Amino acid sequence: MKVSQNWLKSLVEINTTPDDLSEKLSVGGFEVESLIDCSKNVKGVVLGKVLSVVKHDNSDKLSICKVDIGNSNFLQIICGATNVKPNIYVYIATVGAHLGSINLTIKKSEIRGVISEGMICSLEELGIEDTSEGIAIIKEEIATKHELGTSAALLLNLNDHIYDLAITANRPDGMSVVGIAREISALLETKLSFPELESKYKIYVNKKFNLCPKAIAQNCLYSITHIDLVKGKELSPEWLKERLDKSGIKSINLLVDITNYILLEQGQPLHAFDKDKLIDLVGREVLPEDFSVRKAKSDESLLCLNGENYKLNENITIIACCDKPIAIAGVIGGLETSVNDETCSIYLEGAVFNPVTIRKSSKEIGIRTESSSRFEKGISYKNTLDSVTRAINIVEKYFNIPSTIIHTSLEINDTELLIPLRRDRIHKILGPLVIRKENNSHNDQFEKRHLTDNEITDKLILLGCTLKTKEYGWDVHVISNRSQDLFREIDLIEEIARLIGYDMFDLKLPNPIKPGKLSLSQMALRKLKSSFVENGFNEVLSYSLVPESNSNLIKISNPLLLETSCLRDNIWQEHIRICNQNIKSGNDYCWIFEVGNIFHKITDLSEEEILNGAIYGKSKFENWSGSNKENNLNYYEARGKLKESLTVLNLKIEDKPTNSIDFLHPGRSARLFTEGNEVGYFGEIHPKLISNKRALKKMYLFSLKITNILEASTRKNKWVPIYRTFPTVPKMERDINFIFNKKYLVSEIISQIKKSGKQLLEDVNLIDVYDDNNFDKESISYTFRLSYRDYKKTLLDSDIANIHENIVKVIEKKFSTKLRDQ
């Protein structure tokens, strides 16, 4: 929102500098993104009079001009403009002036043997116009009102500053000059002088309007007013053009400019329709009740003011006349019914629409306008009819129009909504003020006291509130343009604190302050993430919002873009994209992990935290001794990297082969289990992803369910280290070798061995895997080493013979195999 300080001064007394006011506005909640000095480009440019013009002896196009700028000595300036002549008033850039629009600093220079002591400027060179033909000649009646040497900023009305404000969604009142003026009045404690409504007009509540209940909902309003005997070719006065221009809006004609002026001044968008064009469109005389607000149909289109022909759909709300689209409600008007030079009669629309419908319409057609930005933030319907009245007041100043009737869908009642404000609640929330005592000593002394009633009421009155004194405090009525953000007692207390200054109140910290600490789960997650980093992985962060790619994704009700319209249900797709990007950049490896949330829709809407990752290539730190070797890791090496990273949690992870994960290789993927619960998966990506170019090279993906992993790792027997004494007796080892069917998992076999020999069996390890052509395709040889120990004595062969023999029998029976000869 751009606003001119001169415009603000016409509404509120400003008793401070622009820089100081910018600081106060920013601290108060209206951040000033930039402060523009309008006179910057014309500093050092003054009013001058050309006394004489003589042709340059050494040039056909240059002239030597004698110029008076009010000094005792006249200036000699070389000028190449064809329209320079004696006795004209011009803008003179004196020596030292910098013309920012052409990036030129004026110097005393010699041009073809003649000294030039300045420059006679065009409006283009002053940055006032885009193009100019020749120098700017000032009208004599304007120039003679000022002394020669007067700053050009005064003549051009550039002694002004423009505040570029960032208005937050919770302060829609800041989208109007009146709202900003009221804020300045509250911050500076100065007087306001808002324009009065000079005349009122008859208001008729028209029940015949056909209005979409979603667009014109509760606290919304639609109005239409017929204004006759106007002239579309009438141009705006200079004061109006100047205010629009400094606010970033181009002047078009008086009628359109008045609607834009009210939009800026009051924050209420208005739109003017050409009545004759409406008659041509519908084929008969147009009445106020012919206007309607409805959802568009999929086969409709509308040529709009920006020259774009938009295809409409049911997500777009339109204004219709006799059911024919004439505007996209709250966003942009139609070109066919717009005001032009031939306009002599208009229908003036003033409305307040449901912010949700305007946001949807704006998103559908892909544009955001000054009007839509205000409707989206929310404006008060109680100001609409006054804004329409203000617009008609201005129209009456320039056109001799007949009496008008404002047709409205809703009667504005004067019912006051009072907010109870308790004195003791203010004191409890804000605490005491800390005030420095005035004394002559060097030691600062402070006193503490609560806000007085006068201090409270003064601040609320500055905001435009009216108060009724009660025993408990006050009943407060908030002005309509602040009703969107001030509707609770705590909102009023916050405003009081904001205007007085938060730094003026005493600190209220908990006593004693108890330090926080991480929970076991938080500590475990930190350890896990650190372990991944220590093992060579890089942590990444990807967006939770993705485009709609399938029906299982959860849609966002009001997305900003189609590319961010849904919540993701996986992270692995983004990790493949990251790996692809690294491959394209020439990186030999990419090991990444991410802790994030995914969202499920299948049963009920749910959120799940997972740790996802991808592994591609060999780390450069592991590849230093074999640069010519294969860069890719094999399945077991990649799985080993995941195992190393998980070691810190002291969990035993069991792999069970699977072919049910459609994006993983059916023969090189596994589901991960701990304590009998599935906690994730690991595997090589499916070859089809490489063949269809979704993945550029072979890589491995893994996923872990954070909740299950952390729950298992933070059990007392896992989290708290258990220390045992070293055994003082030796262990006894025996190796056994069987040929198994490949369908049996090694983990199943080891588990069965441990169950069968748990009295003395201490450990079981797989030490050899052997596959031979003599075996059938479904068989493989495993060799296990069994470790026996009795912590009380040294074992003899006779002590373990029965146990060992029983283990062999159980394995042979359970897995339909035979012990091989050693």
Side-chain angles (χ1 to χ4, degrees):
M1 173 76 182
K2 290 183 178 180
V3 60
S4 154
Q5 176 162 286
N6 287 347
W7 190 354
L8 288 169
K9 282 182 176 179
S10 69
L11 301 174
V12 61
E13 180 186 344
I14 297 178
N15 55 12
T16 186
T17 64
D19 288 325
D20 184 52
L21 181 56
S22 294
E23 180 67 21
K24 288 181 182 297
L25 284 168
S26 295
V27 172
F30 284 172
E31 181 188 357
V32 179
E33 293 186 322
S34 63
L35 177 63
I36 303 166
D37 183 355
C38 296
S39 65
K40 182 179 180 181
N41 283 340
V42 295
K43 288 191 184 298
V45 180
V46 299
L47 171 64
K49 182 178 182 181
V50 179
L51 302 178
S52 65
V53 179
V54 179
K55 286 292 180 183
H56 197 297
D57 293 337
N58 297 326
S59 174
D60 295 333
K61 295 183 178 180
L62 298 178
S63 301
I64 303 172
C65 305
K66 183 187 291 186
V67 180
D68 184 5
I69 61 168
N71 295 338
S72 56
N73 296 324
F74 299 144
L75 299 180
Q76 179 175 277
I77 297 176
I78 307 299
C79 180
T82 57
N83 62 336
V84 66
K85 57 186 178 181
N87 297 317
I88 60 171
Y89 293 91
V90 291
Y91 296 111
I92 304 297
T94 56
V95 173
H98 180 76
L99 303 179
S101 60
I102 58 175
N103 194 25
L104 175 66
T105 300
I106 306 301
K107 299 177 182 178
K108 186 176 181 179
S109 58
E110 184 178 311
I111 301 176
R112 298 198 178 186
V114 179
I115 297 297
S116 181
E117 301 172 300
M119 177 177 173
I120 304 176
C121 301
S122 68
L123 292 179
E124 179 183 359
E125 290 161 340
L126 295 178
I128 307 299
E129 294 181 353
D130 294 332
T131 57
S132 296
E133 293 183 6
I135 59 173
I137 299 176
I138 306 169
K139 292 180 180 180
E140 187 172 352
E141 59 267 25
I142 296 176
T144 52
K145 294 178 181 178
H146 304 277
E147 294 183 358
L148 295 177
T150 300
S151 170
L154 184 61
L155 279 83
L156 293 167
N157 292 320
L158 294 178
N159 279 336
D160 197 1
H161 287 77
I162 296 175
Y163 300 86
D164 191 356
L165 302 166
I167 307 300
T168 54
N170 66 320
R171 290 296 303 272
D173 60 298
M175 296 296 283
S176 67
V177 180
V178 166
I180 296 167
R182 189 179 293 280
E183 180 71 11
I184 292 172
S185 170
L187 292 171
L188 301 181
E189 299 185 1
T190 54
K191 293 182 179 180
L192 286 167
S193 55
F194 287 165
E196 296 290 336
L197 296 179
E198 297 176 4
S199 58
K200 299 280 186 173
Y201 308 100
K202 184 178 179 182
I203 295 175
Y204 174 68
V205 180
N206 197 326
K207 299 296 184 181
K208 296 181 181 180
F209 284 131
N210 184 12
L211 305 175
C212 171
K214 289 185 178 179
I216 306 295
Q218 188 179 11
N219 295 334
C220 295
L221 174 148
Y222 187 80
S223 75
I224 202 81
T225 307
H226 178 220
I227 305 175
D228 214 352
L229 301 181
V230 295
K231 295 178 182 178
K233 62 182 179 182
E234 187 78 19
L235 297 179
S236 298
E238 289 301 320
W239 69 268
L240 182 52
K241 287 182 180 179
E242 180 190 338
R243 289 182 176 181
L244 293 179
D245 181 61
K246 289 179 179 178
S247 299
I249 295 179
K250 184 179 179 181
S251 174
I252 298 173
N253 59 48
L254 180 55
L255 292 174
V256 174
D257 288 355
I258 288 172
T259 63
N260 287 330
Y261 180 77
I262 297 301
L263 174 134
L264 293 171
E265 183 189 75
Q266 304 293 331
Q268 171 65 58
L270 302 176
H271 186 73
F273 298 102
D274 186 311
K275 182 183 177 183
D276 293 331
K277 289 184 178 181
L278 289 171
I279 292 173
D280 292 340
L281 180 67
V282 303
R284 64 171 177 81
E285 186 68 25
V286 175
L287 302 174
E289 50 266 29
D290 291 329
F291 289 85
S292 62
V293 181
R294 65 172 173 84
K295 293 294 181 181
K297 301 168 186 175
S298 57
D299 59 345
E300 291 180 317
S301 63
L302 181 65
L303 179 63
C304 290
L305 290 171
N306 59 1
E308 294 287 335
N309 193 358
Y310 295 104
K311 292 183 179 180
L312 307 178
N313 59 54
E314 60 277 2
N315 291 323
I316 298 173
T317 304
I318 63 166
I319 307 298
C321 182
C322 295
D323 207 40
K324 295 183 182 293
I326 57 174
I328 296 175
V331 182
I332 191 170
L335 187 61
E336 285 187 89
T337 56
S338 63
V339 172
N340 61 14
D341 290 351
E342 305 301 321
T343 300
C344 60
S345 180
I346 63 170
Y347 270 108
L348 183 65
E349 175 196 77
V352 173
F353 302 100
N354 183 352
V356 175
T357 62
I358 301 305
R359 200 173 296 121
K360 285 183 178 179
S361 298
S362 180
K363 187 192 67 150
E364 282 291 325
I365 65 174
I367 63 169
R368 197 163 185 262
T369 61
E370 290 284 347
S371 294
S372 67
S373 64
R374 285 164 174 78
F375 283 127
E376 286 174 17
K377 285 183 171 66
I379 58 178
S380 173
Y381 73 98
K382 292 186 177 181
N383 291 333
T384 303
L385 298 185
D386 282 347
S387 297
V388 172
T389 301
R390 168 81 172 135
I392 302 173
N393 285 172
I394 299 175
V395 171
E396 278 185 326
K397 289 182 179 180
Y398 298 95
F399 302 108
N400 185 23
I401 63 173
S403 61
T404 60
I405 299 174
I406 302 173
H407 291 255
T408 176
S409 64
L410 183 68
E411 184 176 4
I412 307 298
N413 58 54
D414 296 327
T415 304
E416 288 189 350
L417 296 177
L418 300 176
I419 305 172
L421 180 61
R422 295 166 290 176
R423 185 181 295 102
D424 58 348
R425 186 65 176 167
I426 296 173
H427 296 160
K428 183 177 180 181
I429 295 292
L430 299 183
L433 289 169
V434 179
I435 301 172
R436 181 178 176 180
K437 289 183 178 179
E438 293 185 6
N439 57 63
N440 297 324
S441 65
H442 295 291
N443 297 323
D444 291 337
Q445 294 183 350
F446 299 91
E447 67 171 339
K448 295 182 180 181
R449 64 167 178 82
H450 286 295
L451 289 171
T452 64
D453 285 2
N454 284 340
E455 287 172 325
I456 294 170
T457 56
D458 286 348
K459 295 304 177 186
L460 292 175
I461 290 171
L462 285 170
L463 292 173
C465 300
T466 55
L467 298 90
K468 294 180 179 178
T469 304
K470 298 290 182 180
E471 185 178 346
Y472 54 79
W474 304 268
D475 281 345
V476 182
H477 175 249
V478 178
I479 58 172
S480 57
N481 72 337
R482 290 301 303 274
S483 60
Q484 306 290 322
D485 66 303
L486 299 182
F487 52 88
R488 300 174 301 173
E489 181 184 43
I490 193 66
D491 298 328
L492 296 172
I493 295 173
E494 182 185 4
E495 286 296 283
I496 294 167
R498 182 176 69 85
L499 293 176
I500 289 174
Y502 293 109
D503 56 336
M504 296 293 293
F505 293 93
D506 193 20
L507 296 175
K508 293 180 68 176
L509 297 175
N511 186 27
I513 299 175
K514 295 182 179 179
K517 64 178 181 179
L518 297 176
S519 65
L520 293 182
S521 294
Q522 290 172 323
M523 293 171 64
L525 183 57
R526 284 196 177 187
K527 286 175 66 176
L528 182 59
K529 291 168 74 171
S530 297
S531 179
F532 270 96
V533 173
E534 290 165 4
N535 280 282
F537 287 82
N538 289 302
E539 186 174 6
V540 297
L541 180 65
S542 59
Y543 289 115
S544 298
L545 300 177
V546 296
E548 185 179 1
S549 56
N550 62 70
S551 59
N552 292 327
L553 296 178
I554 300 172
K555 292 183 181 180
I556 300 174
S557 60
N558 190 32
L560 291 175
L561 301 167
L562 290 176
E563 291 77 11
T564 56
S565 59
C566 297
L567 294 170
R568 66 184 176 189
D569 63 353
N570 71 77
I571 303 180
W572 63 266
Q573 290 180 340
E574 181 63 18
H575 285 185
I576 289 179
R577 191 192 67 78
I578 293 172
C579 287
N580 287 343
Q581 190 173 340
N582 277 269
I583 292 168
K584 289 178 181 178
S585 301
N587 291 334
D588 294 329
Y589 81 104
C590 181
W591 297 0
I592 57 174
F593 78 97
E594 175 180 358
V595 176
N597 295 322
I598 58 175
F599 306 87
H600 303 293
K601 179 183 177 182
I602 297 173
T603 52
D604 194 8
L605 301 184
S606 62
E607 181 177 355
E608 181 183 16
E609 188 178 22
I610 62 171
L611 187 152
N612 237 82
I615 302 173
Y616 153 72
K618 287 186 178 179
S619 168
K620 60 184 178 181
F621 300 109
E622 298 185 353
N623 209 27
W624 64 274
S625 62
S627 57
N628 295 325
K629 293 182 179 179
E630 171 65 31
N631 184 49
N632 281 332
L633 297 172
N634 63 38
Y635 179 90
Y636 299 103
E637 289 174 322
R639 177 65 180 87
K641 295 301 172 187
L642 178 59
K643 181 179 180 181
E644 289 175 22
S645 301
L646 292 172
T647 303
V648 69
L649 296 183
N650 193 28
L651 286 178
K652 183 177 180 181
I653 305 291
E654 183 181 344
D655 295 44
K656 292 186 179 181
T658 182
N659 57 6
S660 61
I661 304 176
D662 57 1
F663 55 88
L664 294 182
H665 195 300
R668 299 174 189 170
S669 57
R671 294 192 182 274
L672 308 180
F673 290 81
T674 187
E675 299 181 345
N677 298 316
E678 184 180 344
V679 294
Y681 62 77
F682 176 88
E684 181 184 320
I685 63 167
H686 201 290
K688 68 182 179 183
L689 295 179
I690 299 176
S691 62
N692 62 22
K693 304 299 183 183
R694 289 183 63 187
L696 299 181
K697 290 191 178 181
K698 183 176 76 173
M699 57 189 74
Y700 301 91
L701 303 174
F702 60 86
S703 179
L704 300 169
K705 297 178 181 179
I706 289 293
T707 303
N708 294 4
I709 288 285
L710 298 183
E711 185 179 335
S713 64
T714 53
R715 298 192 201 285
K716 190 172 182 180
N717 62 328
K718 299 285 186 181
W719 188 254
V720 180
I722 298 174
Y723 298 95
R724 295 188 179 94
T725 57
F726 282 105
T728 57
V729 294
K731 64 182 176 182
M732 184 177 288
E733 295 180 337
R734 293 288 186 268
D735 294 346
I736 54 175
N737 178 269
F738 294 92
I739 296 176
F740 293 93
N741 190 301
K742 289 181 179 179
K743 69 179 181 180
Y744 296 118
L745 300 178
V746 171
S747 58
E748 294 179 15
I749 301 170
I750 291 177
S751 177
Q752 189 60 50
I753 293 173
K754 287 183 175 180
K755 286 180 183 178
S756 303
K758 54 181 160 181
Q759 295 111 333
L760 296 176
L761 185 63
E762 184 182 66
D763 199 9
V764 182
N765 289 292
L766 176 69
I767 61 172
D768 185 59
V769 178
Y770 179 67
D771 199 354
D772 192 272
N773 293 332
N774 294 326
F775 301 158
D776 60 66
K777 292 182 180 180
E778 299 300 322
S779 298
I780 192 167
S781 172
Y782 295 140
T783 301
F784 298 95
R785 177 160 293 164
L786 283 61
S787 300
Y788 297 95
R789 194 195 306 268
D790 187 337
Y791 286 86
K792 296 179 181 179
K793 66 174 185 175
T794 302
L795 291 173
L796 302 174
D797 285 341
S798 57
D799 295 326
I800 66 169
N802 291 335
I803 297 173
H804 191 75
E805 185 178 342
N806 182 56
I807 290 173
V808 171
K809 287 180 180 179
V810 170
I811 296 300
E812 288 178 339
K813 182 179 180 181
K814 179 77 174 178
F815 299 100
S816 303
T817 184
K818 288 290 182 181
L819 185 67
R820 295 184 68 201
D821 295 333
Q822 302 297 315

